[in-house]
């Protein structure tokens, strides 16, 4: 049976913090991986780097011209990176043609994670999966807000560029 928040002991709070952090980390890792998969395989762009986290490097390798870096600490207020090599089309054309789909991919991944983890967590009675689904929805909604640095901001700018270019 689930405990009410007021009934949690200090040990329970410690475990809850660890579960929330691990859930947040998994979500951010998969969110950035969603951008990577769409850029590399669907849009056929040359991705030079996929970097998630800060400070302590857990995994660092280069494969097929892409550097993969996974670090230990996720800061929700600092940008994780998927670097794309400049194309012959140029940045403006890239933003107009592919920017919306590229940045929407991370949000879509978070919503799929939320749906899957909530469904499995609900039927299996797994509290960790329910927390991961809640975090995934929070990350997805947070990334939709058009604040500088979020996916929503990049999507809004791509839409504005498209509208300006269509008028001229």
């Amino acid at each position: 049976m689930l405990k009410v928040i007021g009934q949690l002991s200090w040990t329970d709070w410690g475990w809850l913090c660890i579960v929330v952090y691990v859930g947040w980390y998994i979500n951010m890792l998969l969110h950035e991986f969603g951008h990577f998969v769409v850029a590399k395989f669907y849009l056929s762009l040359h991705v030079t780097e996929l970097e998630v986290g800060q400070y302590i490097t857990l995994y660092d390798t280069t494969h097929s011209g892409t550097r993969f870096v996974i670090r230990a600490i996720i800061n929700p207020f600092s940008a994780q990176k998927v670097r794309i090599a400049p194309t012959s089309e140029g940045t403006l054309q890239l933003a107009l043609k592919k920017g919306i789909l590229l940045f929407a991919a991370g949000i879509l991944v978070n919503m799929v994670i939320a749906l899957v983890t909530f469904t499995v967590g609900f039927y299996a009675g797994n509290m960790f999966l329910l927390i991961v689904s809640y975090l995934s929805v929070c990350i997805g909604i947070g990334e939709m807000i058009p604040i500088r640095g979020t996916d929503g901001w990049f999507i809004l700018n791509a839409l504005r560029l498209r509208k300006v270019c269509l008028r001229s």
Side-chain angles (χ1 to χ4, degrees), residues 30-91:
L30 292 174
H31 174 96
E32 294 304 321
F33 191 70
H35 291 302
F36 169 78
V37 167
V38 168
K40 183 106 175 165
F41 300 109
Y42 185 72
L43 300 176
S44 300
L45 298 172
H46 178 65
V47 180
T48 58
E49 185 175 23
L50 170 64
E51 182 179 342
V52 178
Q54 295 177 328
Y55 310 117
I56 303 165
T57 302
L58 299 175
Y59 183 75
D60 187 353
T61 189
T62 303
H63 180 67
S64 300
T66 303
R67 181 175 179 229
F68 298 92
V69 182
I70 298 174
R71 295 199 170 100
I73 299 172
I74 292 287
N75 180 354
F77 303 108
S78 71
Q80 313 310 317
K81 299 172 192 152
V82 176
R83 289 200 179 108
I84 297 170
T87 62
S88 58
E89 297 179 74
T91 308

Side-chain angles (χ1 to χ4, degrees), residues 13 23 26-27 29-30 40 73 87-88 95 112 126 132 145 149 156:
W13 277 109
I26 290 168
N27 270 291
L29 189 65
L30 292 174
K40 183 106 175 165
I73 299 172
T87 62
S88 58
V112 169
N126 188 322
V132 168
I145 299 170
L156 184 64

Side-chain angles (χ1 to χ4, degrees), residues 62-130:
T62 303
H63 180 67
S64 300
T66 303
R67 181 175 179 229
F68 298 92
V69 182
I70 298 174
R71 295 199 170 100
I73 299 172
I74 292 287
N75 180 354
F77 303 108
S78 71
Q80 313 310 317
K81 299 172 192 152
V82 176
R83 289 200 179 108
I84 297 170
T87 62
S88 58
E89 297 179 74
T91 308
L92 181 62
Q93 286 78 15
L94 176 66
L96 292 176
K97 291 181 181 176
K98 303 172 181 179
I100 296 168
L101 181 60
L102 179 61
F103 291 108
I107 297 169
L108 183 63
V109 165
N110 284 118
M111 294 308 157
V112 169
I113 292 169
L115 181 66
V116 170
T117 55
F118 179 79
T119 303
V120 173
F122 182 77
Y123 286 110
N126 188 322
M127 193 59 167
F128 174 74
L129 290 178
L130 293 175

